[in-house]
Amino acid sequence: MTTFCQRTLDFLYFNNKHNSKAWYAEHKEDFKQYLYAPFCNLVTQMTPDMLRIDSDFIVEPKSVISRLYKDLRFAKDKTSLYRDCMWLTFMRDKNQMYGLPGYFFELSPYGFRYGCGYYCADSKSMASMRNLVLANSKSFQKAKECFENQDIFEFVGETYKKPHYPDYPQDISLWLEKKDMCFIAKSHDIDLLFSADLAKTLCEQFETIKPLYDFMMLAESMTER
């Protein structure tokens, strides 16, 4: 079974540091063996459990796994050719103009992180979620309870600089004041990263936060575009 190892992290670090097409070409087999193959294996292992979370997830590795090189047309840093991280994302149709929520795992030389949410939430999606929060819907109640009863995932996302809902208690305004939404766990557990149990652990933890994903997808179903 192909798993991540120290040479995975070394490649990410040195490829980014050298920032050279020539260096990458010389070490392309390392990329295939220590990065791409373990990512493909991880996707394959996770796919059955992820499809139980959402049967409409895209699961083909070439669509799930990120590229290592940057598209400089859209990059803020035009001098760096390669990222120092790679990730996988389980979500529905990625070709839509607006982003959908999904589950992700991201690896860098400095550790890894994983979670559920938006890369960049659409304002209409967030408006639908606020409506569910304000209505105290059952979906929101389950999502709120899910988040509050765990201590692995952090609630992140840009918040309005000036409060829009100052009269609500903090446990409700936390959801209302966000401009986007993501729940992220960070780890430096190298033993887990390099083990054959990584896929199982990720899927188990992803299953525990399914109410958060269901809440976001319900909001998506109510969003008019």
Side-chain angles (χ1 to χ4, degrees):
M1 182 180 296
T2 305
T3 61
F4 298 115
C5 62
Q6 184 59 47
R7 294 190 68 171
T8 304
L9 307 184
D10 292 343
F11 178 88
L12 282 170
Y13 176 81
F14 286 109
N15 184 63
N16 177 258
K17 182 177 181 179
H18 284 282
N19 192 34
S20 163
K21 291 183 179 180
W23 192 92
Y24 174 82
E26 292 174 4
H27 297 82
K28 191 170 183 179
E29 290 305 312
D30 287 345
F31 167 77
K32 292 179 180 178
Q33 181 176 351
Y34 301 116
L35 262 173
Y36 194 72
F39 261 107
C40 286
N41 180 63
L42 186 60
V43 171
T44 299
Q45 286 185 285
M46 294 178 68
T47 288
D49 288 324
M50 298 310 295
L51 288 176
R52 279 190 283 273
I53 291 176
D54 188 336
S55 61
D56 289 328
F57 277 148
I58 296 172
V59 295
E60 294 83 1
K62 65 179 181 180
S63 299
V64 172
I65 300 169
S66 72
R67 297 185 178 97
L68 185 60
Y69 62 86
K70 293 182 179 179
D71 188 335
L72 296 181
R73 294 174 301 170
F74 306 107
K76 292 182 179 179
D77 177 9
K78 304 293 184 181
T79 63
S80 180
L81 301 175
Y82 301 96
R83 304 181 179 93
D84 66 352
C85 62
M86 279 185 65
W87 62 87
L88 60 82
T89 308
F90 287 99
M91 62 185 296
R92 295 184 182 184
D93 187 2
K94 296 182 179 181
N95 296 318
Q96 301 184 59
M97 294 182 64
Y98 55 92
L100 290 173
Y103 287 86
F104 73 92
F105 164 82
E106 181 182 275
L107 173 63
S108 82
Y110 316 105
F112 61 98
R113 60 181 191 161
Y114 54 96
C116 176
Y118 291 90
Y119 174 73
C120 184
D122 179 84
S123 61
K124 293 182 179 180
S125 300
M126 295 305 297
S128 294
M129 274 184 275
R130 290 189 198 97
N131 289 336
L132 290 172
V133 173
L134 293 170
N136 196 29
S137 69
K138 289 185 178 180
S139 179
F140 170 63
Q141 292 175 23
K142 291 179 180 179
K144 183 173 179 291
E145 180 181 9
C146 170
F147 173 69
E148 293 176 348
N149 288 338
Q150 59 82 43
D151 58 4
I152 296 175
F153 296 90
E154 179 185 0
F155 192 168
V156 302
E158 185 180 359
T159 302
Y160 288 118
K161 293 181 180 179
K162 182 179 179 180
H164 285 45
Y165 301 88
D167 298 329
Y168 285 82
Q170 195 275 334
D171 63 330
I172 302 298
S173 65
L174 175 67
W175 299 77
L176 294 172
E177 299 289 355
K178 293 293 186 186
K179 298 173 70 174
D180 52 35
M181 183 178 294
C182 196
F183 301 88
I184 297 178
K186 299 178 182 179
S187 178
H188 299 283
D189 187 345
I190 296 299
D191 290 337
L192 173 60
L193 179 64
F194 294 168
S195 80
D197 293 329
L198 178 61
K200 178 183 177 182
T201 300
L202 290 175
C203 289
E204 288 176 348
Q205 295 197 11
F206 284 168
E207 177 63 31
T208 67
I209 57 171
K210 186 175 182 294
L212 300 173
Y213 176 74
D214 291 341
F215 168 66
M216 288 182 274
M217 288 306 298
L218 176 60
E220 286 294 335
S221 71
M222 299 168 57
T223 302
E224 296 183 4
R225 303 186 186 280

